[in-house]
Amino acid sequence: MARFIFITGGVVSSLGKGLASAALGALLQARGYSVRLRKLDPYLNVDPGTMSPFEHGEVFVTDDGAETDLDLGHYERFTGVAARKTDSVSSGRIYSNVLEKERRGDYLGKTIQVIPHVTNEIKDFIAIGEDEVDFMLCEIGGTVGDIEGLPFFEAIRQFSQDKPRGQCLFMHLTLLPFIKASGELKTKPTQHSVKELRSIGLAPDILVCRSEGPIPKKEREKLALFCNVRPDSVIAAQDLSTIYDAPLAYHREGLDQAVLDAFQISPAPKPDLTKWEDVSDRIHNAEGQIKVAIVGKYTQLEDAYKSIAEALTHGGMANRVKVKVEWVDAEIFDTEDAAPHLEGFHAILVPGGFGERGTEGKIKAAQYAREHKVPYLGICLGMQMAVIEAARNAAGISEAGSEEFDHESGKRRFEPVVYHLKEWVQGNHKVERKVGDDKGGTMRLGAYDAVLAEGSKVAEVYGGTSIEERHRHRYEVDIKYRDKLEKVGLNFSGMSPDGRLPEIVEWSDHPWFIGVQYHPELKSKPFAPHPLFRDFVRAAKETSRLV
């Protein structure tokens, strides 16, 4: 049966709970234990699928089709454990489940209340698959004191009481601000945060304190005394130059040892950190630098493209180069020529997105990459824009566009080279969708197979002709334009197994121009870079030598 580690946060948000959880999971793995990581989010959205990326960063998609918080991306990248639908839940999903049960009469006429009905639902979720792993790490979103989070804190308090003594551990992440004017590291915010936590019945076993520098012995002892934890359970989490130093940094601080000590696991297996030492070496000892432009519409918030930025870093590690990413707002190209903004880049990436805003700029970016022979990777909408560009400027379909933009404007303006996907095959059954369906959870989501053309560029990149990748889209390139586009050199080199849905396109007369309908960035890891990103960075490296 699993031991449970509950990770909570205090003082301010965005301290790096997800990263700390992921790094701890990696360290426990390095000691030979199996782990699974979960995220419990207090917001009332059923999932983040309908949120703007400006609200919550990117949406991470699992193999089984769940739209989840971006922290699950950290969990996967650090542990290699594929996340599932049962690894992410929100207040919205919990309340929805409780209300569905009430409507069915499952509660036998009882008055439905937060305690015990909502908290029981949360506890049931936490316990899913508890017999599958050695450690279950559960991160609670938000900060202590948020009104939305109270049912979750009460649920984990009850859960720890239900389990045998010593089977649950609480890790609390807080901020130690440094006041420059007085030259002091202040412990009071952490003391108040722990006081808030204790007032709802939870006492932290381990304190992880974010700070700009090391925690002096005096402050460490003060925190231990006033927060009622052992001095060696006060862990400093200093700012790092790369997130991939986190496992080694936390190990040096003794986080994994503190966890094992709290569980009274002794003697503990010694960690094998060879993998993470190699990752750190590849990042810090790069043998060159390439510049990649990401032409998108959510460029003001880098978390909107978190997995893409990380996958590019992984591709750089595989090629021993540093990837310098620059975010280019696609809307600039609506009024300006793309060339001055894209000159000097060794590769161009156009990511996914929704809605018409910025799409003409993405089309111009694809045109620039095609005409100037710059390596190009188009992901999801980035592939669709590359197809529209080819249709307009090479195949003579001047009105080419997407049905998505016509639906948005309420009138037909384009010839729909990209159309609304109404049906597809998932496993052994057919899925059907209408334009007017609810927005949440109705896309083509999760892992699907694709078949690659023999002798194609992508078959060479993947080293085979059969792949499985994660999808998140509701619009698709129309197969009826295939012949026209292939005549001008845009090959449909990857298709769904039934041959109806285009998955990959590539220009035959271009050194590296690939568009994919799926999201390869979601499966990339620092110790196992995704083949497409590895080869995309290799192509950019070749370009950098030619410039």
Side-chain angles (χ1 to χ4, degrees), residues 216-424:
K217 189 177 176 208
K218 181 183 158 196
E219 276 73 15
R220 201 181 284 260
E221 288 172 348
K222 190 175 179 182
L223 283 166
L225 178 64
F226 288 109
C227 299
N228 201 34
V229 298
R230 297 165 62 93
D232 56 6
S233 293
V234 178
I235 307 296
Q238 296 179 52
D239 295 348
L240 301 169
S241 59
T242 166
I243 62 171
Y244 298 112
D245 280 341
L248 295 175
Y250 276 123
H251 176 67
R252 283 194 299 272
E253 279 292 322
L255 175 61
D256 47 332
Q257 190 60 54
V259 166
L260 296 171
D261 287 346
F263 281 121
Q264 297 185 338
I265 298 173
S266 181
K270 292 247 182 309
D272 177 6
L273 295 167
T274 316
K275 181 167 71 174
W276 290 104
E277 285 160 359
D278 178 56
V279 164
S280 184
D281 175 62
R282 285 175 178 273
I283 286 182
H284 292 294
N285 298 303
E287 295 164 4
Q289 178 174 287
I290 60 157
K291 284 177 67 183
V292 177
I294 297 182
V295 182
K297 61 192 279 188
Y298 311 117
T299 51
Q300 298 95 315
L301 183 70
E302 291 183 17
D303 271 359
Y305 302 119
K306 189 67 180 170
S307 289
I308 287 175
E310 298 308 325
L312 284 168
T313 300
H314 306 159
M317 288 155 62
N319 290 278
R320 282 209 173 263
V321 293
K322 179 177 168 54
V323 179
K324 188 183 179 203
V325 169
E326 287 194 23
W327 311 90
V328 181
D329 188 343
E331 287 187 272
I332 294 170
F333 304 156
D334 289 348
T335 53
E336 296 179 35
D337 182 26
H341 295 278
L342 296 176
E343 283 168 2
F345 286 106
H346 305 128
I348 295 167
L349 190 153
V350 175
F354 295 90
E356 188 173 4
R357 182 173 64 83
T359 52
E360 291 299 322
K362 291 182 178 185
I363 290 167
K364 285 182 183 174
Q367 182 179 5
Y368 178 89
R370 175 175 65 84
E371 292 175 351
H372 292 81
K373 305 296 184 190
V374 177
Y376 175 94
L377 176 57
I379 295 173
C380 198
L381 186 70
M383 165 186 162
Q384 295 173 6
M385 297 304 99
V387 170
I388 290 171
E389 190 279 322
R392 287 182 187 175
N393 300 322
I397 309 169
S398 60
E399 300 298 311
S402 171
E403 249 186 358
E404 179 177 8
F405 313 147
D406 283 347
H407 291 154
E408 197 176 318
S409 66
K411 59 181 183 229
R412 177 158 179 178
R413 296 170 298 150
F414 298 112
E415 182 168 343
V417 174
V418 176
Y419 71 103
H420 182 269
L421 187 59
K422 295 171 183 67
E423 61 178 55
W424 66 89

Side-chain angles (χ1 to χ4, degrees), residues 11 35 42 69 91 101 104 252 290 295 374 424 465 481 547:
V11 185
V35 300
D69 185 81
S91 286
K101 288 179 180 179
R104 287 200 306 263
R252 283 194 299 272
I290 60 157
V295 182
V374 177
W424 66 89
T465 56
Y481 293 95
V547 174

Side-chain angles (χ1 to χ4, degrees), residues 474-492:
R474 59 168 59 88
Y475 290 87
E476 184 86 43
V477 173
D478 198 330
I479 191 69
K480 75 181 183 188
Y481 293 95
R482 179 176 184 169
D483 289 344
K484 271 189 180 178
L485 289 164
E486 288 197 330
K487 268 181 194 163
V488 296
L490 186 69
N491 295 328
F492 285 49

Side-chain angles (χ1 to χ4, degrees), residues 67-225:
E67 293 177 288
T68 72
D69 185 81
L70 61 82
D71 277 328
L72 270 76
H74 286 314
Y75 303 164
E76 279 204 23
R77 284 188 283 273
F78 277 72
T79 66
V81 177
R84 303 191 291 228
K85 281 184 178 177
T86 52
D87 293 330
S88 176
V89 79
S90 67
S91 286
R93 171 62 65 199
I94 293 291
Y95 282 110
S96 178
N97 290 351
V98 168
L99 293 173
E100 282 172 19
K101 288 179 180 179
E102 185 272 332
R103 293 288 83 186
R104 287 200 306 263
D106 291 2
Y107 296 120
L108 304 176
K110 295 274 187 191
T111 302
I112 310 306
Q113 295 177 291
V114 172
I115 302 171
H117 301 99
V118 171
T119 51
N120 282 351
E121 191 72 24
I122 296 168
K123 283 153 64 178
D124 290 345
F125 172 81
I126 293 168
I128 294 169
E130 64 179 328
D131 55 350
E132 296 174 8
V133 292
D134 299 318
F135 288 95
M136 191 79 79
L137 285 72
C138 299
E139 178 195 344
I140 316 297
T143 52
V144 175
D146 295 346
I147 194 165
E148 301 97 335
L150 285 173
F152 288 97
F153 289 114
E154 172 59 21
I156 63 175
R157 185 194 69 77
Q158 291 180 21
F159 190 89
S160 68
Q161 293 295 313
D162 296 341
K163 292 293 175 189
R165 189 182 295 276
Q167 207 177 324
C168 295
L169 178 150
F170 296 97
M171 182 170 117
H172 191 53
L173 192 77
T174 69
L175 177 68
L176 286 186
F178 181 76
I179 309 298
K180 284 183 182 174
S182 61
E184 289 180 299
L185 195 67
K186 306 305 289 184
T187 64
K188 194 63 75 177
T190 294
Q191 292 178 47
H192 277 294
S193 182
V194 171
K195 182 183 176 187
E196 182 81 29
L197 196 62
R198 292 171 72 85
S199 73
I200 53 178
L202 298 173
D205 300 285
I206 294 173
L207 274 182
V208 178
C209 303
R210 275 300 301 271
S211 62
E212 292 178 21
I215 305 174
K217 189 177 176 208
K218 181 183 158 196
E219 276 73 15
R220 201 181 284 260
E221 288 172 348
K222 190 175 179 182
L223 283 166
L225 178 64

